[in-house]
Amino acid sequence: MAAAARARRVSPEASITVLEKSSHVSLGVCGLPYLIAGLVPSVESLIAVPEKELREKRNLNILTRHEAVALDLSARKVVALGPRGHHREFGYDRLLLAPGGKARRPAVPGCRADNVFTLQGLDDALILLAWLDRPSCRRALVVGGGYLGLEMAECLCQRGLEVSLWEKEGRFLAFEESLSQRLVQHLQDRGVTVQLSSELQGLEGGRTGPVSCAVSHGQRSKADLFLLATGVDPQISFLKQGAFDRGPSGALRVDRRGETSQSGIFAAGDCVEIEHRVSGRPIYLPLALPASRLGRVVGENCVGGQARFAGTLGTLATRVFELEVARTGLDRASADAAGFEVEVVEVRAGTRAGYYPGGQELLLTVLYDRRTRRLLGAQAVGREGAVARVGIVSAALEGGLTVDDLERLDLAYAPPLATLWDPLVLAGRISAGSPHGERN
Amino acid sequence: MAAAARARRVSPEASITVLEKSSHVSLGVCGLPYLIAGLVPSVESLIAVPEKELREKRNLNILTRHEAVALDLSARKVVALGPRGHHREFGYDRLLLAPGGKARRPAVPGCRADNVFTLQGLDDALILLAWLDRPSCRRALVVGGGYLGLEMAECLCQRGLEVSLWEKEGRFLAFEESLSQRLVQHLQDRGVTVQLSSELQGLEGGRTGPVSCAVSHGQRSKADLFLLATGVDPQISFLKQGAFDRGPSGALRVDRRGETSQSGIFAAGDCVEIEHRVSGRPIYLPLALPASRLGRVVGENCVGGQARFAGTLGTLATRVFELEVARTGLDRASADAAGFEVEVVEVRAGTRAGYYPGGQELLLTVLYDRRTRRLLGAQAVGREGAVARVGIVSAALEGGLTVDDLERLDLAYAPPLATLWDPLVLAGRISAGSPHGERN
């Protein structure tokens, strides 16, 4: 919808048709965990722009419950399966592929049982909500500790469930060890059973009863409900193999204008790879912000524009109970892979003057290249100030700053809001080998 | 103390003497309003590093209650008035002048009365605290709406006083009108009587009774306590007129190494002008952070170093009741004066996804130059997110970004923490004439 709305704004006269598989458009899917937690009162409140307004004020021909099932490149037609089971064809001058991603289900036994859920769209959320209403539903196992798994661990706790969270890697969110540990501790403090380095081997007994077992490296865990938050794949099986160039992840490859290898066909959202501006490499990063950004670009270009997508810095944030967790740029492994000589500075600092009540500890890591001293990324965890610091580093990455420039940043000091030497300033100082701030 | 500690770290063998007029060093004076509010439990908690530690571990010869009263340039000696009223002389190879600022008292009648206070140091705070203990002390008038005046209006309210706040300019903190108005509204909501464009003409009846009147443009206001928060001046009357170059403000002029016009004599803190990095012009900005920064620079240079001070971006922040207020860079008037063609973008935006509970309205202005599109500054007011946005702009100023670069910033989106399109991204978009974000 970002693309369609943008196309309409650029071209008042273009004929714009939107084919949408589900029964709704313009839904804030990032809010689904909070709908499940009961924090968001209704599905309606997740609708950013009502369909009626999109149709009438923006003159968009929106066809919900129309799933694109085939694409005829030579005839320039899309075939869609409509709500009554019949096929319809749609011709186009320019085509935008925005089918999104599809929740990944691990290729292990039992993942199709009735009490195994994913959370990809509203339908998934409604099915899950119905299951949660059963009084027998008391224990949940969340498989996957990405941002969705972390958010769902919290949201299921808030519904009163006993929650376990399994992550196959040794750390959450590719964070540095200490930050990941801080997050583990916070989850445990809030009653979540956390298991890192635990990969799902299979689910047992799902069809025959409500209690199943998940098996990982010999461990078992009982639950009444399993949520798979193990990532998404591009939902592009309706495209003929070989018709479009794909990147290493299997997602579509597009140029900076969002155009695929087929002239006149654009793509955006969770079906494409985008460029990481720090590494210069393509990555598959199915997040709302780059999807919406590239959506605006291709919306403009579908109607003759020449907009360019600047890529992503890989910024990600969420709140897990009281803790802000955020990162931007490259993590250590991806920076290594991109050929940088990674150095990491870690800072633990207060978020307010030491004497001011209510201050919290902020844990921050800054990654930079040893040779050029160029900033590569940052990660932060804390009850306050983590997202702010990552935003500042994001702007610093945009400006091409070095780690030494951090020491010079003029970041506000006020006792209720910050320490005299901001953690980022300290990070710059530590990287220069002069770590000791005067505390007054 | 920032300079002394830094000098010691760079030079373990230098002989370093500190002459301090008051009875303490290393006191976090920015915390004095919160000491008065009762939020900070004791004077001791404001001491960043105990004097004993500074003496013994850092080997600093600290002489409190020693006021520098004269400087003999040819003999390279400082004359100090000691605690028992006798004079002592101190020779030096390198001298650092860091006498700080002195609270300004308007040149109007009545400003020396017993119930008229300033808040420059601990002694001021103790006298004020004693006065506040009088049961008859119920109404306070704060004169001056800079950050100290704003903080003290809040802190006196928190002690249960009825508080009025007078500011001689038409706006607080040189903010754009809408932001200043938001701050006025918040103060009024918390019970503070706010009068803008009200300059103090005089105080009446102060010596003869506890209730006085302040007169401004014909208006009068009764109070039991008057706090003058009308700025500070460099405290350099002990220096011979003409001995040192001074800037337009009357404060000492120093080069980037912190050296005055007298070779071997450095200066830092609230007695010097510093360079504003956006305008390139010298300004008098008596704030803790640039003072401490230049302090570290001169500390290093006093013992033979070649450190350089990068200047300031003029970042300032505080919290006024529940409201964060912050700015960085140039305000409209100073940007005009520096020859920029100022354009201002204003954004009102939520701080969380619309459906997520607890979001607040953030009010943000971004200033840029019409010709070059270079960013000049930003101001923000809101219950959350204001300081963060100003920090991001501060980093953007450091990187020399344009207003158009803001649209590309990769700032985290997560429903509990931010909107999809950050207010800064929207500011960039608005400046490009394409204001309409898609909201989903």
Side-chain angles (χ1 to χ4, degrees), chain B residues 191-435:
Chain B
V192 178
T193 303
V194 179
Q195 296 234 41
L196 298 179
S197 306
S198 290
E199 189 163 9
L200 186 70
Q201 305 287 312
L203 300 171
E204 293 170 2
R207 288 254 175 236
T208 54
V211 178
S212 292
C213 289
V215 185
S216 167
H217 306 302
Q219 293 189 316
R220 283 159 174 273
S221 184
K222 290 196 170 191
D224 309 309
L225 178 166
F226 296 85
L227 181 79
L228 302 176
T230 47
V232 302
D233 291 312
Q235 192 159 346
I236 49 180
S237 57
F238 70 102
L239 300 176
K240 278 203 192 82
Q241 198 68 35
F244 292 84
D245 284 357
R246 302 191 183 194
S249 72
L252 297 176
R253 205 191 281 272
V254 293
D255 64 16
R256 292 202 162 185
R257 296 177 59 251
E259 197 164 15
T260 65
S261 56
Q262 293 284 353
S263 174
I265 302 185
F266 298 82
D270 295 359
C271 68
V272 301
E273 288 187 355
I274 55 177
E275 185 188 327
H276 197 297
R277 271 144 71 186
V278 180
S279 68
R281 297 184 175 199
I283 57 164
Y284 181 59
L285 186 72
L287 291 177
L289 185 56
S292 303
R293 268 199 165 126
L294 182 53
R296 281 174 57 88
V297 166
V298 296
E300 194 165 332
N301 294 342
C302 276
V303 290
Q306 291 293 333
R308 293 168 72 86
F309 178 56
T312 181
L313 293 172
T315 307
L316 177 76
T318 191
R319 213 174 64 196
V320 181
F321 294 98
E322 289 77 32
L323 217 52
E324 296 180 11
V325 298
R327 69 161 198 231
T328 190
L330 300 174
D331 56 60
R332 194 191 285 256
S334 53
D336 277 345
F340 294 106
E341 287 187 18
V342 185
E343 289 276 351
V344 180
V345 180
E346 181 175 317
V347 178
R348 275 171 204 266
T351 56
R352 307 181 188 183
Y355 51 76
Y356 195 93
Q360 305 292 334
E361 190 189 63
L362 181 71
L363 203 52
L364 170 78
T365 53
V366 173
L367 289 77
Y368 64 98
D369 182 65
R370 187 182 303 137
R371 289 164 300 189
T372 63
R373 303 195 59 81
R374 178 185 168 194
L375 282 174
L376 299 175
Q379 301 150 10
V381 174
R383 283 172 182 244
E384 56 186 24
V387 174
R389 292 330 180 287
V390 161
I392 293 165
V393 173
S394 179
L397 289 172
E398 182 70 40
L401 300 192
T402 66
V403 68
D404 305 299
D405 294 327
L406 291 183
E407 189 174 354
R408 221 165 44 219
L409 286 182
D410 192 2
L411 300 173
Y413 164 55
L417 296 166
T419 52
L420 177 62
W421 303 116
D422 192 90
L424 286 169
V425 173
L426 293 178
R429 202 174 279 173
I430 291 167
S431 80
S434 167

Side-chain angles (χ1 to χ4, degrees), chain A residues 130-289:
Chain A
W131 190 271
L132 285 165
D133 280 339
R134 298 182 175 204
S136 64
C137 185
R138 290 196 216 97
R139 284 173 299 183
L141 173 62
V142 177
V143 181
Y147 72 92
L148 180 64
L150 290 165
E151 288 168 359
M152 283 305 297
E154 172 186 348
C155 290
L156 291 169
C157 272
Q158 290 194 346
R159 285 194 65 108
L161 276 79
E162 198 180 295
V163 177
S164 297
L165 175 60
W166 283 18
E167 163 58 40
K168 74 174 174 180
E169 303 294 336
R171 298 171 189 180
F172 283 121
L173 299 169
F175 275 4
E176 291 295 302
E177 180 65 25
S178 52
L179 279 76
S180 177
Q181 269 307 317
R182 174 79 183 275
L183 186 47
V184 169
Q185 188 61 53
H186 190 71
L187 285 161
Q188 288 173 341
D189 290 347
R190 293 296 169 277
V192 177
T193 302
V194 179
Q195 297 234 39
L196 298 178
S197 306
S198 290
E199 187 162 9
L200 186 71
Q201 304 287 310
L203 300 172
E204 292 169 2
R207 287 254 174 235
T208 55
V211 178
S212 292
C213 288
V215 184
S216 168
H217 305 304
Q219 293 189 316
R220 284 158 173 272
S221 184
K222 291 198 170 190
D224 309 309
L225 178 165
F226 296 86
L227 180 79
L228 302 175
T230 46
V232 302
D233 292 312
Q235 193 159 345
I236 49 178
S237 57
F238 71 102
L239 300 175
K240 278 202 192 83
Q241 198 67 36
F244 291 84
D245 284 359
R246 302 191 184 196
S249 72
L252 299 175
R253 205 191 279 273
V254 293
D255 65 15
R256 291 201 163 185
R257 297 177 58 250
E259 198 164 13
T260 66
S261 55
Q262 293 284 353
S263 173
I265 302 186
F266 298 82
D270 295 358
C271 67
V272 301
E273 287 185 355
I274 55 178
E275 185 188 328
H276 197 297
R277 272 143 72 187
V278 180
S279 68
R281 298 186 174 197
I283 57 162
Y284 181 59
L285 187 72
L287 291 177
L289 184 56

Side-chain angles (χ1 to χ4, degrees), chain B residues 60-206:
Chain B
L60 300 172
N61 180 29
I62 294 171
L63 299 169
T64 54
R65 304 184 66 197
H66 279 71
E67 179 181 2
V69 291
L71 169 59
D72 184 336
L73 288 169
S74 54
R76 302 176 84 78
K77 279 182 185 164
V78 173
V79 182
L81 182 63
R84 283 176 301 275
H86 58 281
H87 288 83
R88 277 178 72 184
E89 289 185 350
F90 298 87
Y92 61 84
D93 297 316
R94 295 279 187 285
L95 177 64
L96 165 60
L97 301 172
K102 191 178 167 65
R104 208 177 280 160
R105 283 184 191 254
V108 298
C111 280
R112 296 273 164 195
D114 290 346
N115 60 348
V116 181
F117 301 88
T118 57
L119 188 60
Q120 179 64 22
L122 180 59
D123 292 343
D124 284 353
L126 296 177
I127 295 166
L128 177 55
L129 276 169
W131 191 271
L132 284 165
D133 280 339
R134 297 182 176 204
S136 64
C137 184
R138 288 196 216 98
R139 283 172 301 182
L141 172 61
V142 177
V143 181
Y147 72 92
L148 180 64
L150 290 165
E151 288 168 358
M152 283 305 297
E154 172 185 349
C155 290
L156 291 170
C157 272
Q158 290 193 347
R159 285 193 65 108
L161 275 79
E162 198 181 295
V163 177
S164 297
L165 176 60
W166 283 17
E167 163 58 40
K168 73 173 176 184
E169 303 294 336
R171 299 171 188 180
F172 282 121
L173 300 169
F175 275 5
E176 292 295 303
E177 179 66 25
S178 52
L179 278 77
S180 176
Q181 269 308 315
R182 174 78 182 277
L183 186 47
V184 169
Q185 187 61 53
H186 190 72
L187 285 161
Q188 287 174 341
D189 291 347
R190 293 294 168 280
V192 178
T193 303
V194 179
Q195 296 234 41
L196 298 179
S197 306
S198 290
E199 189 163 9
L200 186 70
Q201 305 287 312
L203 300 171
E204 293 170 2

